[in-house]
Amino acid sequence: MIVVIQCADRVGLVASISGLLASENLNIVSMNEHVDKGENLFFMRLEIDKLSDSKALEQKLRALLPDGALVNVNPKPEKKVIVMVTKEYHCLADILVRNHFKTLGASVQCVIGNYVTLEDICKRFDVPFYHVKYEPSEEPEQQVLDIVSRYEYDYIVLAKFMRVLSPAFVSRFPGRIINIHHSFLPAFAGANPYRQAYERGVKLIGATAHFVTDELDEGPIISQQIIPAGHSFTAGDMMKAGQEIETAVLAKALRLVFDDRVFIYKNKTVVLE
Amino acid sequence: MIVVIQCADRVGLVASISGLLASENLNIVSMNEHVDKGENLFFMRLEIDKLSDSKALEQKLRALLPDGALVNVNPKPEKKVIVMVTKEYHCLADILVRNHFKTLGASVQCVIGNYVTLEDICKRFDVPFYHVKYEPSEEPEQQVLDIVSRYEYDYIVLAKFMRVLSPAFVSRFPGRIINIHHSFLPAFAGANPYRQAYERGVKLIGATAHFVTDELDEGPIISQQIIPAGHSFTAGDMMKAGQEIETAVLAKALRLVFDDRVFIYKNKTVVLE
Amino acid sequence: MIVVIQCADRVGLVASISGLLASENLNIVSMNEHVDKGENLFFMRLEIDKLSDSKALEQKLRALLPDGALVNVNPKPEKKVIVMVTKEYHCLADILVRNHFKTLGASVQCVIGNYVTLEDICKRFDVPFYHVKYEPSEEPEQQVLDIVSRYEYDYIVLAKFMRVLSPAFVSRFPGRIINIHHSFLPAFAGANPYRQAYERGVKLIGATAHFVTDELDEGPIISQQIIPAGHSFTAGDMMKAGQEIETAVLAKALRLVFDDRVFIYKNKTVVLE
Amino acid sequence: MIVVIQCADRVGLVASISGLLASENLNIVSMNEHVDKGENLFFMRLEIDKLSDSKALEQKLRALLPDGALVNVNPKPEKKVIVMVTKEYHCLADILVRNHFKTLGASVQCVIGNYVTLEDICKRFDVPFYHVKYEPSEEPEQQVLDIVSRYEYDYIVLAKFMRVLSPAFVSRFPGRIINIHHSFLPAFAGANPYRQAYERGVKLIGATAHFVTDELDEGPIISQQIIPAGHSFTAGDMMKAGQEIETAVLAKALRLVFDDRVFIYKNKTVVLE
């Protein structure tokens, strides 16, 4: 059983929490915590070796903790997700494979694409695919909202979805949309990052998984990684090499989020591994 | 103030420890713990935001903890070390520079070399250097023991000391001798690891910092790192490239040890960062 | 058009080769070469910007080069491969996805498994799957030989095939069987490398793609990579983390081999990227 | 003997160059080349196994090559450098140590600092140190010019020199000033990159070695590297961790430049390793 806590910091929090668990005869298997001293914020993730009455324990924890504490006892072990894509297959295929073999830590409810390119791979894995044409006259975001409204879901994953979502859309899903951006943010935000990286002559290229907020490519970063890219790389070579780490970085970010290890505050994340 | 604890695991340890600290009005700045479930062992490192009576707190902690607990409250913030070298300068120079600028986390008492090659660099940093000829007739280990007996020291650092220490010597300093081995152990233990790596045609070469035990290159590993080494690397190129990571890996391992983050058990370490 | 050359080294080879190409009016787009001075061997890979008469050019090159030169002008741009698996899906699924989207640089002819576990994923991608029971009475290697004899193929890829192939089997396919081993060879050859790595307390774990020879896990290494694995990793965690790099390392090795960039000599490879 | 060539590309260049060398009975030990097709530029670095008449060979090569070719036969094996610093010791100490042990590939002529902090370490290595107060009334850049005019030098290395050089100053040394910037450029150019990185919540921090041009932190990149930096890193921790890679990245960039492996064009470099 997992317990996650995010609240104002104060002296004795660990003692209160671990004391309560001991009095409930709950054994802590692992405990990770972080304090942001500048912001006076406390974050904790606990693994407990048996199940307990979640609601009751949540109430007892809230009674112990500062006002406004976020407490989640025994969050859903398997999240539900909707994936949005354009034409590139690499991130989606990786997600579909893990989903199929039950190692994603989430179940994919459906895939929405602004092209039909990736419909076939979804069908091969028995995952519903919806095509939404991204033309203004089609009111595509309304169509997306209509589709997602038919499903239960915890997160929307943008697996190389190459359209910018409107602030109105994003604001409906705070902390619930995860994007993979094909650069080492904040370098090369916006369009054509590999072209930008090529023009600048960088020696490493990167990928960044982050939560989506109103500001394009400015949301809280979950995970980043880089690979070498020398002078012999064309912008196309950078794209190909980059796709390998995009896949890896998104997979890692999803694992962390689905495993209840990622906390959001300000424009940052705490990742308790 | 740092507190480190290593003991048998049991339910409620975190609650007992954090409860005691709260009752003493000591605020936990950071807490790292690890449980090895297979071995039923508990490891913890705490940072507390003010000094307290170390002896009294140690006694109270021991009273709380299972029998045989290792407890160290407020360990020396600056360790004292003796360094042993042969001819290669890179690790020693890095240690001397950090020592000079007070960023090593330890103070170097003296350097012992089985060649005089590195005497000059020691003199430039006002660090005593002793030359011990490694010929059997000279009983070199006895000479080393005589030298170290004149100093206070917490650790002996083998900064590319290319002689094998006898089990009799090693057994005098359990968990107190740190070595840098120029390979990714357990690959290429023993002599000439770069030659071995070259012959084997590996694509990465590594370095390993570890505590020294009776068995050559078999002691608990503290830190490891690798770098790429393609077909164009001669054994000599591997050695040169390897020296860069040897320096970095030893520096990192020393920082971790001097910062009281490394716990030894069985033939392993727990590193609480 | 690609040209690959492997021969004894001598003065003027580059001039002879590039002179011939210039006289044939063939423009060099990229040229990579390596000389192993100890072995007096010369390796070269050229990209030429148009097609030419392969046979004629091969003959002219051979006439220029030392006796016994290996020359291959315009090797097959798309290799054919047979994949062997056991139960783990990660490497196979990655290969099937790339095969499906035509980015593998090879086409998968069929998959042979010693369990039926992975039959379903093959069917989803319309790739034939054969089940060969690995019991001595079944003479499994003879069954494998019968199956592969029905196909054209350039390489056999062991994508986590967990049985040891007999020397008699291996000797039929010199330089044509590629394996992914789940450790940083030569550390932890043989069975259960993650268990071995866990017991040894290493701080990094690795994966190695190599050609298969008679000696288990001793063949020429194509590619290797590592990831951090701290004290908190159980042997199971190491396995999970390791699977991510196994997939990546095998994918990279296959790309290099299928792109005619890997040369074998002695027990090593030259990789001309 | 090294030969470096940078010129317009055309068919047959490799044949002409290697043919000339063969006719001069010069054996090529290693050859690296790159063609930027978009810019139609050819870059080559050769190692030849004996010395020859440099001037004569340069003339013969120029006669073969397109107009305006840059050709350098047998460039100085040991460059001369002047180092500029502020207060941080890590990059300077690394350079002084390598200089002292003759592994820098260059000899340090003197060090200029805008504080006296690092005078002592220079004295310990018998390297002249000059203090230039960076106050407008002191006309510091004129003082620097006066000092450097007393020395022969090939490069000026900014080893954590924390003042911005004027365009007038920079324009006197095109392609000859090398800087280490403490971020993964183009992210976090300008002042306080670790503070910026901390505020942005990045998960990796980087360092970039580059040639200095008029535009701050916008010159051609030579080398970059990154290290992980999680949520637990304060801006101060990022700075400490960053210093380790600043040292390593600058050391690598200097090795590449001093070894005549770095070519500048547009705002980029080609690095022939």
Side-chain angles (χ1 to χ4, degrees):
Chain A
M1 189 175 73
I2 305 296
V3 178
V4 292
I5 296 168
Q6 179 168 351
C7 63
D9 189 33
R10 71 176 179 213
V11 180
L13 273 182
V14 172
S16 316
I17 296 165
S18 56
L20 172 63
L21 296 172
S23 75
E24 300 275 320
N25 215 19
L26 295 169
N27 192 24
I28 298 170
V29 175
S30 80
M31 172 190 275
N32 289 91
E33 62 278 314
H34 173 64
V35 175
D36 185 316
K37 290 176 198 72
E39 303 293 323
N40 198 44
L41 284 172
F42 174 86
F43 306 86
M44 179 176 270
R45 181 185 184 276
L46 294 150
E47 281 185 65
I48 291 168
D49 66 356
K50 60 180 175 191
L51 274 172
S52 176
D53 179 337
S54 307
K55 287 285 158 235
L57 186 59
E58 268 188 32
Q59 283 190 343
K60 287 176 189 166
L61 280 165
R62 276 210 192 84
L64 278 182
L65 297 170
D67 286 353
L70 303 172
V71 180
N72 195 348
V73 173
N74 199 19
K76 267 203 287 189
E78 194 183 76
K79 276 46 173 179
K80 292 181 174 170
V81 298
I82 288 171
V83 182
M84 295 180 71
V85 297
T86 296
K87 288 178 170 177
E88 287 173 89
Y89 73 86
H90 54 288
C91 288
L92 176 64
D94 184 71
I95 290 169
L96 290 174
V97 165
R98 293 176 200 260
N99 181 60
H100 182 73
F101 287 100
K102 313 269 183 232
T103 56
L104 183 64
S107 68
V108 177
Q109 304 302 295
C110 70
V111 174
I112 300 170
N114 62 324
Y115 286 86
V116 294
T117 319
L118 298 172
E119 181 165 20
D120 169 72
I121 185 87
C122 291
K123 281 194 175 154
R124 287 177 186 268
F125 284 108
D126 306 321
V127 169
F129 178 91
Y130 299 91
H131 178 214
V132 171
K133 268 196 207 150
Y134 253 67
E135 285 166 29
S137 60
E138 307 272 345
E139 297 191 1
E141 290 198 341
Q142 188 52 53
Q143 286 191 55
V144 172
L145 290 173
D146 290 348
I147 294 163
V148 303
S149 71
R150 296 173 222 160
Y151 291 94
E152 277 187 71
Y153 57 96
D154 301 285
Y155 295 99
I156 295 174
V157 178
L158 308 183
K160 301 288 291 177
F161 178 70
M162 305 307 280
R163 294 289 177 149
V164 177
L165 297 169
S166 72
F169 186 96
V170 170
S171 67
R172 286 166 174 262
F173 309 96
R176 293 175 64 195
I177 308 180
I178 297 163
N179 184 44
I180 179 73
H181 182 77
H182 39 316
S183 86
F184 184 81
L185 290 174
F188 311 128
N192 283 327
Y194 292 123
R195 168 58 50 185
Q196 292 182 58
Y198 174 76
E199 296 294 344
R200 181 63 188 88
V202 294
K203 301 302 188 190
L204 304 170
I205 53 174
T208 304
H210 64 99
F211 289 106
V212 176
T213 56
D214 284 12
E215 287 188 69
L216 182 62
D217 302 330
E218 289 292 331
I221 293 170
I222 307 165
S223 188
Q224 302 189 287
Q225 197 45 271
I226 57 91
I227 44 169
H231 60 262
S232 66
F233 281 61
T234 63
D237 294 334
M238 285 186 175
M239 192 182 78
K240 257 191 242 172
Q243 287 172 340
E244 305 289 327
I245 50 165
E246 291 165 21
T247 308
V249 168
L250 181 57
K252 184 180 174 188
L254 295 181
R255 178 178 63 71
L256 293 169
V257 170
F258 298 160
D259 220 11
D260 299 298
R261 295 181 181 279
V262 182
F263 300 72
I264 303 175
Y265 74 111
K266 299 182 75 184
N267 201 39
K268 295 184 179 185
T269 63
V270 165
V271 179
L272 296 181
E273 279 190 278
Chain B
M1 188 175 72
I2 305 295
V3 177
V4 293
I5 296 168
Q6 178 169 350
C7 63
D9 190 33
R10 73 176 179 214
V11 180
L13 274 182
V14 172
S16 315
I17 297 164
S18 55
L20 172 63
L21 296 172
S23 75
E24 300 276 321
N25 215 17
L26 295 169
N27 192 23
I28 299 171
V29 175
S30 80
M31 172 190 276
N32 288 92
E33 62 277 315
H34 173 65
V35 175
D36 185 316
K37 291 176 197 73
E39 303 294 323
N40 197 46
L41 284 171
F42 175 86
F43 305 86
M44 179 176 270
R45 180 184 186 278
L46 294 150
E47 280 185 65
I48 292 167
D49 66 356
K50 61 179 172 190
L51 274 172
S52 175
D53 179 337
S54 308
K55 288 285 157 235
L57 185 59
E58 267 188 33
Q59 283 190 340
K60 287 176 189 166
L61 280 164
R62 276 208 192 85
L64 278 183
L65 297 170
D67 286 353
L70 302 172
V71 180
N72 195 348
V73 173
N74 200 18
K76 267 203 285 190
E78 193 183 77
K79 278 41 173 181
K80 292 180 174 172
V81 298
I82 289 171
V83 182
M84 294 179 71
V85 297
T86 297
K87 286 179 173 177
E88 287 173 88
Y89 73 86
H90 54 288
C91 288
L92 175 64
D94 183 72
I95 289 170
L96 290 174
V97 165
R98 293 175 199 261
N99 181 61
H100 182 72
F101 286 100
K102 312 272 183 227
T103 56
L104 183 64
S107 69
V108 177
Q109 304 302 295
C110 71
V111 174
I112 301 170
N114 62 324
Y115 286 86
V116 294
T117 320
L118 299 173
E119 181 165 20
D120 169 72
I121 184 86
C122 291
K123 281 194 175 154
R124 286 177 187 269
F125 284 109
D126 307 320
V127 170
F129 177 92
Y130 299 91
H131 177 215
V132 172
K133 270 196 205 150
Y134 253 69
E135 285 165 29
S137 61
E138 308 272 344
E139 297 192 0
E141 290 197 343
Q142 187 53 52
Q143 285 190 56
V144 172
L145 290 173
D146 290 348
I147 295 163
V148 303
S149 70
R150 295 173 223 160
Y151 291 92
E152 276 187 73
Y153 58 96
D154 301 285
Y155 295 99
I156 294 174
V157 178
L158 308 182
K160 302 289 290 178
F161 178 70
M162 305 307 280
R163 294 288 176 150
V164 178
L165 297 169
S166 71
F169 186 96
V170 170
S171 66
R172 285 167 175 261
F173 309 96
R176 294 174 63 195
I177 308 179
I178 297 163
N179 185 43
I180 179 72
H181 183 76
H182 39 316
S183 86
F184 184 81
L185 291 175
F188 311 128
N192 282 326
Y194 291 122
R195 169 56 51 183
Q196 292 182 60
Y198 174 76
E199 295 295 343
R200 181 62 188 89
V202 294
K203 301 302 187 190
L204 304 171
I205 53 173
T208 304
H210 64 99
F211 289 106
V212 176
T213 56
D214 283 13
E215 288 188 68
L216 182 63
D217 301 332
E218 289 292 332
I221 293 170
I222 306 165
S223 188
Q224 302 189 286
Q225 198 44 272
I226 57 91
I227 43 168
H231 60 261
S232 66
F233 282 61
T234 62
D237 294 334
M238 285 186 175
M239 193 181 78
K240 256 190 245 174
Q243 288 172 340
E244 304 290 326
I245 50 166
E246 291 165 21
T247 308
V249 168
L250 181 58
K252 183 179 173 188
L254 294 182
R255 179 179 61 73
L256 293 169
V257 170
F258 298 159
D259 220 10
D260 299 297
R261 296 181 181 279
V262 182
F263 300 72
I264 303 175
Y265 74 112
K266 297 182 77 186
N267 201 40
K268 295 183 178 184
T269 63
V270 165
V271 179
L272 295 181
E273 279 189 277
Chain C
M1 189 176 71
I2 305 294
V3 177
V4 293
I5 296 169
Q6 179 169 352
C7 62
D9 190 32
R10 73 176 178 213
V11 179
L13 274 181
V14 173
S16 315
I17 297 165
S18 55
L20 172 64
L21 296 173
S23 74
E24 300 275 321
N25 216 16
L26 295 170
N27 193 25
I28 298 171
V29 175
S30 80
M31 172 190 275
N32 289 93
E33 62 279 314
H34 174 64
V35 175
D36 185 316
K37 291 176 197 72
E39 303 294 322
N40 197 44
L41 284 172
F42 175 85
F43 305 86
M44 179 176 269
R45 180 184 186 277
L46 294 150
E47 281 185 65
I48 292 169
D49 66 356
K50 60 180 174 191
L51 273 172
S52 176
D53 179 336
S54 308
K55 287 287 158 233
L57 186 58
E58 267 188 34
Q59 282 189 342
K60 288 175 188 165
L61 281 165
R62 275 207 194 86
L64 278 184
L65 298 170
D67 286 353
L70 303 172
V71 180
N72 196 347
V73 173
N74 199 19
K76 268 202 286 190
E78 193 183 75
K79 278 39 175 184
K80 292 182 175 172
V81 298
I82 289 172
V83 182
M84 294 180 70
V85 297
T86 296
K87 288 178 170 176
E88 288 172 88
Y89 72 86
H90 54 289
C91 288
L92 175 64
D94 184 70
I95 289 169
L96 290 174
V97 165
R98 292 176 199 259
N99 181 60
H100 182 73
F101 286 100
K102 313 269 184 233
T103 56
L104 183 62
S107 69
V108 178
Q109 304 301 296
C110 72
V111 175
I112 301 170
N114 63 322
Y115 285 86
V116 294
T117 319
L118 298 173
E119 181 165 20
D120 169 72
I121 184 85
C122 291
K123 281 193 175 155
R124 287 177 185 268
F125 284 108
D126 306 321
V127 170
F129 177 92
Y130 299 91
H131 178 214
V132 171
K133 270 196 207 151
Y134 253 68
E135 286 166 29
S137 61
E138 306 273 345
E139 297 192 359
E141 289 197 343
Q142 187 53 54
Q143 285 190 56
V144 172
L145 290 173
D146 290 348
I147 295 163
V148 303
S149 71
R150 293 174 224 160
Y151 291 92
E152 276 187 72
Y153 58 95
D154 301 286
Y155 294 98
I156 295 174
V157 178
L158 308 183
K160 301 289 289 179
F161 178 70
M162 305 308 278
R163 294 289 178 149
V164 177
L165 296 170
S166 72
F169 186 96
V170 170
S171 66
R172 286 168 174 262
F173 310 96
R176 294 175 62 197
I177 308 179
I178 297 162
N179 184 45
I180 179 73
H181 182 77
H182 39 316
S183 85
F184 184 81
L185 290 174
F188 311 129
N192 283 326
Y194 292 123
R195 168 56 53 185
Q196 292 182 60
Y198 175 76
E199 295 294 344
R200 181 61 188 88
V202 294
K203 301 302 186 191
L204 304 170
I205 53 174
T208 304
H210 64 99
F211 290 105
V212 176
T213 55
D214 284 14
E215 287 188 70
L216 182 64
D217 301 332
E218 289 291 332
I221 293 171
I222 307 164
S223 188
Q224 303 189 286
Q225 200 41 275
I226 57 91
I227 43 168
H231 60 262
S232 66
F233 282 61
T234 63
D237 294 334
M238 286 186 175
M239 193 182 77
K240 256 189 243 173
Q243 288 172 341
E244 304 289 328
I245 49 165
E246 291 165 22
T247 308
V249 168
L250 181 56
K252 184 180 174 187
L254 294 182
R255 179 178 63 70
L256 293 169
V257 170
F258 298 160
D259 221 9
D260 300 298
R261 295 181 181 280
V262 182
F263 301 71
I264 304 176
Y265 74 113
K266 296 182 77 183
N267 200 40
K268 296 183 177 185
T269 64
V270 165
V271 179
L272 295 181
E273 278 190 278
Chain D
M1 188 175 73
I2 305 296
V3 177
V4 293
I5 296 168
Q6 178 168 352
C7 62
D9 190 33
R10 71 174 179 215
V11 179
L13 274 182
V14 173
S16 316
I17 297 165
S18 55
L20 172 64
L21 296 173
S23 74
E24 301 274 321
N25 215 17
L26 295 170
N27 193 25
I28 298 170
V29 174
S30 80
M31 172 190 277
N32 289 91
E33 63 279 311
H34 173 65
V35 175
D36 185 316
K37 292 176 197 72
E39 303 294 323
N40 197 46
L41 284 172
F42 174 86
F43 305 86
M44 178 176 271
R45 181 184 184 278
L46 294 149
E47 280 184 65
I48 292 168
D49 66 358
K50 60 180 175 192
L51 273 172
S52 175
D53 178 337
S54 309
K55 287 286 158 232
L57 186 58
E58 269 188 30
Q59 283 189 341
K60 288 176 190 168
L61 279 165
R62 275 209 192 87
L64 279 183
L65 297 170
D67 286 352
L70 304 172
V71 180
N72 196 348
V73 173
N74 199 18
K76 266 203 285 187
E78 194 183 76
K79 278 39 175 185
K80 292 181 174 170
V81 298
I82 289 171
V83 182
M84 294 180 71
V85 298
T86 296
K87 287 177 171 178
E88 288 173 88
Y89 72 85
H90 53 289
C91 289
L92 175 64
D94 184 70
I95 289 169
L96 291 175
V97 165
R98 293 176 200 259
N99 181 61
H100 183 73
F101 287 100
K102 313 267 182 236
T103 56
L104 183 63
S107 69
V108 178
Q109 303 302 296
C110 71
V111 174
I112 300 170
N114 61 324
Y115 286 86
V116 294
T117 320
L118 298 172
E119 180 165 21
D120 169 73
I121 184 86
C122 292
K123 281 193 175 156
R124 287 178 186 268
F125 285 108
D126 306 321
V127 170
F129 177 91
Y130 298 90
H131 178 214
V132 171
K133 270 196 206 150
Y134 253 66
E135 284 165 30
S137 61
E138 307 272 344
E139 298 192 2
E141 290 198 341
Q142 187 53 54
Q143 286 190 55
V144 172
L145 289 173
D146 291 347
I147 295 163
V148 303
S149 70
R150 295 174 223 160
Y151 291 93
E152 275 187 72
Y153 58 95
D154 301 285
Y155 295 99
I156 295 174
V157 178
L158 309 182
K160 301 290 288 178
F161 178 70
M162 305 307 279
R163 294 290 178 147
V164 177
L165 296 169
S166 72
F169 186 97
V170 170
S171 67
R172 286 167 174 262
F173 310 95
R176 293 175 65 196
I177 308 180
I178 298 163
N179 184 43
I180 179 74
H181 182 77
H182 39 318
S183 86
F184 183 81
L185 290 174
F188 310 129
N192 282 327
Y194 292 122
R195 170 56 52 184
Q196 291 182 60
Y198 175 76
E199 295 295 344
R200 181 62 188 88
V202 295
K203 301 301 187 190
L204 304 170
I205 53 174
T208 303
H210 63 99
F211 289 105
V212 176
T213 55
D214 284 12
E215 287 187 70
L216 183 62
D217 301 331
E218 289 292 332
I221 293 170
I222 307 165
S223 187
Q224 302 190 286
Q225 198 42 275
I226 57 91
I227 44 168
H231 60 260
S232 66
F233 281 62
T234 61
D237 295 333
M238 285 185 175
M239 192 182 77
K240 258 191 241 172
Q243 288 172 339
E244 305 288 328
I245 50 166
E246 291 165 22
T247 308
V249 168
L250 181 57
K252 184 181 173 187
L254 295 182
R255 178 179 62 72
L256 293 169
V257 170
F258 297 160
D259 221 10
D260 300 297
R261 296 182 180 280
V262 182
F263 301 71
I264 304 177
Y265 74 113
K266 296 181 79 184
N267 202 38
K268 297 183 178 185
T269 64
V270 166
V271 180
L272 295 182
E273 279 190 277

